[in-house]
Amino acid sequence: MPRTAAPDAIRTPPPVHDEEARLRELGYQPVLARRMGGFGNFAISFSVISVLSGCMTLYGFGLGTGGPAVMLWGWAGVGLFVLCVGLALAEVTSAYPTSGALYYMADRLGGRRWGWYTGWLNLLGLLGAIAGIDYGAALFTGAFLNLQWGFVPTPESTFLIFLAILLLHATLNLFGVRLVSVLNSISVWWHLAGVAVIVGALAFIPDHHQSVDFVFTEFVNDTGWANPFYVAAIGLLLAQYTFSGYDASAHLSEETSNASVTAAKGIVRAIWVSWIAGFALLAGLTFAIQDYTATQNSATGVPPAQIFLDALGTGGATALLLVVIVAQLFCGNAEVAAASRMVFAFSRDNALPGSAIWRKISNRTQTPVPAVWLSVAVAALLAVPSLYSATAYGAVTAINVIGITPAYAIPIYLRLRAGDRFTPGPWSLGRWSKPIGWTAVVWVALVTVLFCLPQKSPVTVDSMNYAVIALAVVLVLASVWWYVARRSYGTPTAYGTAREEAEISEGIV
């Protein structure tokens, strides 16, 4: 018989926060190494959000889709709503601290089908995020090589750089969660110092700066759409894309000490720290624009690189690009860690084709090695269209957003629907749970619709928003696979049977 839970199986956390005991209560034998502290858990979500990745790689998109006004005010507004999503998600994470995270929460609160579709959406978003982050790092690496040695980036050369970055991240993740935690901790300080250095250099070195009126009110529309409200709405992609991936703290729960509290705090802290740092970064970049048109059409292929070049010269631009590239490498490494844990957890519950392979754990590092390799391999495939279409990168980022964002809202909605049947963990919103939760659900519903809309007019093969197609394909495939795997898929009700012990031991290699 499959290991399944009844749809209304909402369990009460034990009063003593023994995380290994709690994990067994939730149905799983601990097999991952619990070597990550509270700061490390916060650091992985902060590194995945990575304002030096999302803000920088999509800055060119923002220049033509609403311009400075939408980038700055959009960041402020989106950040507030994302904080509501993070707060509501943190509360559910505190009650169910497992590597499965979103899909496990949905399964326990709503039943197997809710968990199934949440898991596939979450997986799509996480794998799309790896592709988007590492391809962005490849673009910036190409720009750096262009400034330093006159290298001219092409789609083919950028893709080769992208593959090399994926290989680097896979290798680093094979050494175990302790190295991942150390790198993420370094990443926090690198990001914060990097933002400070970039904003400081752009504030004090250039002779010319844009006016406050320009930075906060200038509206630019290069989309082809006439309606400014429509353009402003799709321009929110810059902020919403960047503010994603904070479920990484939840996915690393089984490797975090006192996860019922620290994973919840890690989600919330990562969002508000990124909110402040990202606003400062966007403002600093926009004030320093010397020539708007030249920035949009930069020979480097990366508009922020042109801002650095015009404002600071070749030497300063090269130095700041290195700061950004290293931050993006930290970000991609953290995302591979989060995605591989999702692959491991989903396979542990027999949801993926070849689950018996992907749930295997190295007995030396206690790391899901096959899951790491699968994550980077799928990310590589997702970026293949970039060889043929200039709009492919935007499509990959949109895939990330519309895959992962709905997955955040589902467990929040199910927690609200459960009402008093839901027993909070040690980290709770109290009386604010319902208003914050419903705000989060409504916001996610809105942005999911927005990011399925076409971003350019006229809509052609090159300008079409392929994210909606990717979403539809994943939902169809998930539905088809459901009828194949529904007899074997299921989260366990409690750990302890002889069969479950045997299954776990078979997954350790």
Side-chain angles (χ1 to χ4, degrees):
M1 294 293 291
R3 301 174 296 156
T4 60
D8 60 347
I10 304 172
R11 307 181 70 82
T12 303
V16 178
H17 308 312
D18 181 336
E19 297 299 338
E20 306 291 39
R22 177 60 183 147
L23 188 59
R24 289 186 176 91
E25 278 243 339
L26 295 174
Y28 299 113
Q29 164 69 359
V31 295
L32 299 174
R34 202 175 286 274
R35 296 170 180 164
M36 182 176 283
F39 185 82
N41 186 274
F42 146 73
I44 192 166
S45 281
F46 181 77
S47 297
V48 171
I49 293 175
S50 183
V51 295
L52 286 175
S53 181
C55 290
M56 302 296 274
T57 52
L58 281 177
Y59 191 79
F61 172 86
L63 288 174
T65 314
V70 172
M71 283 195 285
L72 270 297
W73 292 112
W75 183 270
V78 170
L80 179 61
F81 285 111
V82 170
L83 185 59
C84 290
V85 178
L87 286 165
L89 186 62
E91 181 176 54
V92 190
T93 297
S94 180
Y96 303 108
T98 72
S99 295
L102 309 181
Y103 89 85
Y104 181 89
M105 302 171 197
D107 185 288
R108 284 304 172 97
L109 293 167
R112 294 172 71 226
R113 283 208 185 214
W114 280 104
W116 178 266
Y117 284 101
T118 302
W120 280 101
L121 288 170
N122 192 196
L123 189 60
L124 168 68
L126 288 167
L127 297 175
I130 297 174
I133 292 163
D134 282 1
Y135 193 82
L139 288 171
F140 271 74
T141 302
F144 170 79
L145 296 174
N146 176 266
L147 290 179
Q148 189 68 24
W149 292 291
F151 171 80
V152 179
T154 64
E156 293 77 15
S157 61
T158 301
F159 192 78
L160 288 175
I161 296 170
F162 165 68
L163 292 179
I165 293 171
L166 283 177
L167 182 61
L168 170 66
H169 288 154
T171 303
L172 289 173
N173 270 271
L174 298 182
F175 284 98
V177 74
R178 180 166 290 170
L179 176 61
V180 171
S181 182
V182 169
L183 291 174
N184 288 332
S185 297
I186 297 171
S187 171
V188 171
W189 302 113
W190 185 275
H191 274 81
L192 294 177
V195 169
V197 169
I198 290 170
V199 172
L202 294 178
F204 293 108
I205 296 177
D207 294 328
H208 169 73
H209 290 91
Q210 298 291 342
S211 66
V212 173
D213 184 65
F214 173 87
V215 171
F216 290 99
T217 65
E218 183 72 13
F219 183 84
V220 179
N221 177 12
D222 294 332
T223 65
W225 297 107
N227 190 317
F229 295 103
Y230 182 90
V231 174
I234 58 176
L236 299 178
L237 176 60
L238 183 154
Q240 187 64 54
Y241 164 68
T242 305
F243 279 119
S244 64
Y246 44 86
D247 57 315
S249 289
H251 288 295
L252 272 292
S253 292
E254 292 181 33
E255 295 160 89
T256 301
S257 301
N258 195 26
S260 297
V261 175
T262 53
K265 287 183 176 179
I267 291 171
V268 177
R269 188 184 305 168
I271 293 171
W272 70 257
V273 174
S274 298
W275 190 16
I276 296 169
F279 188 86
L281 178 63
L282 289 173
L285 284 169
T286 309
F287 271 113
I289 293 175
Q290 306 297 304
D291 184 325
Y292 203 93
T293 303
T295 298
Q296 287 182 290
N297 302 300
S298 174
T300 66
V302 177
Q306 193 64 44
I307 295 175
F308 297 159
L309 189 62
D310 293 343
L312 309 173
T314 303
T318 303
L320 293 190
L321 273 178
L322 268 179
V323 171
V324 174
I325 291 167
V326 172
Q328 291 173 336
L329 293 177
F330 278 129
C331 174
N333 190 64
E335 185 62 38
V336 170
S340 62
R341 271 52 176 189
M342 172 61 195
V343 171
F344 159 75
F346 218 26
S347 299
R348 181 172 59 182
D349 292 327
N350 296 310
L352 296 180
S355 286
I357 298 173
W358 314 124
R359 65 173 174 246
K360 290 183 181 294
I361 299 293
S362 166
N363 61 1
R364 183 175 61 85
T365 62
Q366 292 178 274
T367 298
V369 173
V372 170
W373 286 116
L374 180 65
S375 298
V376 297
V378 174
L381 291 175
L382 286 176
V384 166
S386 66
L387 291 168
Y388 312 103
S389 170
T391 60
Y393 178 69
V396 170
T397 59
I399 288 169
N400 164 227
V401 170
I402 69 164
I404 210 166
T405 306
Y408 290 156
I410 292 172
I412 298 171
Y413 164 73
L414 294 173
R415 176 262 176 274
L416 293 168
R417 191 182 73 167
D420 293 337
R421 292 187 301 117
F422 172 78
T423 303
W427 194 96
S428 172
L429 295 174
R431 69 177 185 275
W432 292 100
S433 182
K434 288 185 178 179
I436 289 176
W438 283 115
T439 300
V441 170
V442 171
W443 171 250
V444 169
L446 174 64
V447 296
T448 301
V449 172
L450 287 180
F451 296 139
C452 289
L453 301 176
Q455 298 164 6
K456 294 281 187 180
S457 178
V459 179
T460 65
V461 171
D462 259 356
S463 66
M464 181 176 175
N465 183 354
Y466 290 94
V468 65
I469 296 177
L471 178 62
V473 167
V474 167
L475 290 176
V476 169
L477 290 177
S479 298
V480 171
W481 187 248
W482 166 259
Y483 288 100
V484 175
R486 70 184 188 277
R487 295 184 183 278
S488 59
Y489 163 73
T491 60
T493 54
Y495 174 76
T497 68
R499 178 182 173 181
E500 284 164 345
E501 291 175 2
E503 288 173 347
I504 291 296
S505 64
E506 288 171 4
I508 302 175
V509 295

